[in-house]
Amino acid sequence: DEDSKAIACLIRALERDPFSPETLLALGVSYVNELDHEKAVQTLKSWVAHHPLYAGMERVDGSPREEDDLYGGADVEDEGIEGEVANGGIRTMRAKTMVEMRDVERLLLRALEFDRTADAAADVYEALGVVYNVSRDFDAAVDAFQRAIEVRPDDYELRNKLGATLANSNRSDEALPSYRVALKLKPKYARGWLNMAISHSNLQNYQEAARCYLQTLSLNPEAKHVWSYLRIALTCSEQWDLLPLAASQDLNAFHKHFDFVEY
């Protein structure tokens, strides 16, 4: 649930296996969550270029695939497709990155035609969902994640990605069912609890938002920034008497006021 640390671990993993499809896709998602669109696009391009299922596929321009090193030196208000950010930020995407993103999109669409098996299609639709999040084409991203879920209905991370994408497109009410399914599949999913809390807050359901923030903190005590989100929810619901508890970060004291499980 901490993408900066995840990125460091995934990069180490790629040092051992530079062409691991699972690692490359996970790294691309983490880069999107960190709003690093340039590296996200480069990583997703590498994912499709090195995926064993597409070894015989030609590049979009018709030339054979090249084993390019896509890592090196070569930015959207984004809540992340894994974890929403309550106070969002805006970055400007470079023109070069936009061109490369369209190239990745064409590669992925070509991959769908190249291998139409269900498992392969689910992977491609997931990657397309990530790409469409980068370009902020949220309707297309929602469609892509829904298609992937049709193949992998028990994938809690896909359910969370769908929920976060809906929330990013100002559809928090539609996002909640996706988060609930994700949490039913994995109750101890801290990122899912945080996303659901933010959607409840967006809908001004501050009491439920506070409960979900507390559940997030129970599962991930290191997420210190969540305490500030909790204080906002308590302030909006005018629960002034609970603000000192949030200020002191006394999680146990909140059991008297909210129903959440402490691990």
Side-chain angles (χ1 to χ4, degrees):
D1 294 321
E2 298 181 40
D3 287 293
S4 59
K5 294 181 180 179
I7 288 170
C9 292
L10 291 167
I11 290 175
R12 290 289 300 274
L14 286 176
E15 292 174 358
R16 294 177 176 270
D17 184 358
F19 308 133
S20 166
E22 296 82 3
T23 305
L24 286 168
L25 184 56
L27 182 59
V29 170
S30 288
Y31 278 136
V32 173
N33 292 339
E34 289 291 289
L35 306 182
D36 192 336
H37 293 157
E38 185 174 354
K39 289 183 179 178
V41 169
Q42 291 172 348
T43 304
L44 291 169
K45 191 173 183 179
S46 186
W47 177 84
V48 71
H50 299 307
H51 201 297
L53 290 177
Y54 313 122
M57 190 177 74
E58 292 185 342
R59 294 169 61 91
V60 173
D61 59 8
S63 61
R65 289 170 60 258
E66 299 174 4
E67 298 297 310
D68 297 334
D69 177 8
L70 296 176
Y71 296 93
D75 280 287
V76 314
E77 180 179 273
D78 202 331
E79 295 175 347
I81 60 171
E82 284 284 11
E84 299 181 45
V85 177
N87 59 350
I90 297 178
R91 297 187 182 182
T92 302
M93 191 183 302
R94 293 183 178 182
K96 177 183 176 183
T97 303
M98 181 67 75
V99 171
E100 290 182 341
M101 182 188 65
R102 295 305 180 196
D103 186 38
V104 173
E105 179 185 351
R106 289 191 292 269
L107 282 169
L108 291 170
L109 292 173
R110 191 180 183 93
L112 281 176
E113 299 176 0
F114 188 79
D115 189 333
R116 294 181 176 273
T117 59
D119 287 342
D123 288 343
V124 174
Y125 279 125
E126 182 177 3
L128 274 171
V130 176
V131 170
Y132 289 137
N133 265 276
V134 173
S135 64
R136 304 184 66 75
D137 187 349
F138 295 124
D139 288 342
V142 166
D143 180 70
F145 287 136
Q146 287 175 332
R147 289 174 181 268
I149 287 171
E150 288 175 3
V151 180
R152 301 203 302 260
D154 295 332
D155 189 324
Y156 68 91
E157 291 182 314
L158 273 177
R159 298 280 184 174
N160 182 67
K161 288 181 176 73
L162 173 59
T165 301
L166 288 164
N168 283 339
S169 56
N170 298 317
R171 297 157 66 183
S172 292
D173 56 332
E174 298 177 54
L176 289 175
S178 292
Y179 293 143
R180 292 190 184 105
V181 175
L183 291 170
K184 183 177 181 180
L185 292 167
K186 188 176 181 180
K188 294 183 179 181
Y189 188 27
R191 191 187 294 274
W193 282 106
L194 176 58
N195 283 356
M196 190 155 70
I198 294 173
S199 281
H200 276 301
S201 186
N202 290 339
L203 295 168
Q204 300 183 13
N205 302 331
Y206 299 118
Q207 188 76 0
E208 185 62 13
R211 186 184 75 85
C212 294
Y213 285 135
L214 289 165
Q215 190 62 70
T216 302
L217 288 163
S218 173
L219 291 164
N220 185 9
E222 300 302 314
K224 301 298 185 182
H225 61 289
V226 177
W227 285 105
S228 65
Y229 300 169
L230 175 61
R231 287 196 294 272
I232 293 172
L234 294 173
T235 300
C236 290
S237 59
E238 299 184 354
Q239 294 179 281
W240 317 113
D241 57 317
L242 299 183
L243 288 176
L245 299 181
S248 63
Q249 301 186 2
D250 188 348
L251 186 64
N252 187 61
F254 277 99
H255 280 293
K256 298 178 182 179
H257 308 278
F258 293 93
D259 180 22
F260 66 97
V261 180
E262 190 164 1
Y263 295 98

